[in-house]
Amino acid sequence: MSESAFPRDPAAPGPDAPAPGAPDPAAPPRPPAYTPGSAQPRLNRPVHERYPQIRPTSGYGDPRILHTGPGPGAGTEQEPERSSKLSARLALALTVVIGQLWGLTIVVDEWMAGDTGTAWWGAGFLVLSFLVVLGLWLIDPKDR
């Protein structure tokens, strides 16, 4: 069987023809086409031509750069009292949330077992723990 299951299109170029849009290897090399973004042609040159002083090693090998990174004092605590207060509040809120998840598990288990009295007490615990978190949030409104 020498014939293919799909016949070749007679109008298609042969397998040895160059792909459409491919550069002609015999033509001289052309400069890359830049899309102009300015009315001044000198600004439309590539970056390495506009700024020859910028080299690929600029940044770590450039002697003009003396200091890198943020300025002095960056990363240090500016208000340690506020930070400790917010951390304590966050620890309390996380404890209450973990308690709510545990309570929700117990309430669902009791409800599914048919003990609705215990489930209602558990639901009351969940509401109370939510009110505790709300109270923690209302304590200091200037921290929001």
Side-chain angles (χ1 to χ4, degrees), residues 64-132:
R64 295 173 293 173
I65 297 177
L66 302 177
H67 303 289
T68 61
T76 59
E77 187 56 55
Q78 304 297 323
E79 295 181 56
E81 295 84 13
R82 182 173 182 267
S83 175
S84 63
K85 185 169 50 171
L86 291 176
S87 296
R89 205 177 296 166
L90 179 65
L92 283 171
L94 287 175
T95 303
V96 171
V97 166
I98 290 171
Q100 284 179 330
L101 291 173
W102 170 77
L104 184 62
T105 304
I106 299 300
V107 166
V108 169
D109 284 345
E110 293 299 320
W111 185 270
M112 297 303 266
D115 190 3
T116 57
T118 306
W120 283 112
W121 279 106
F125 168 77
L126 292 176
V127 169
L128 181 66
S129 63
F130 173 75
L131 292 175
V132 168

Side-chain angles (χ1 to χ4, degrees), residues 29-70:
R30 293 187 301 159
Y34 301 114
T35 56
S38 173
Q40 301 176 13
R42 65 181 181 82
L43 297 178
N44 295 329
R45 295 176 298 164
V47 174
H48 68 275
E49 289 179 15
R50 282 184 283 164
Y51 305 103
Q53 71 272 23
I54 298 178
R55 295 178 295 282
T57 58
S58 291
Y60 63 89
D62 197 337
R64 295 173 293 173
I65 297 177
L66 302 177
H67 303 289
T68 61

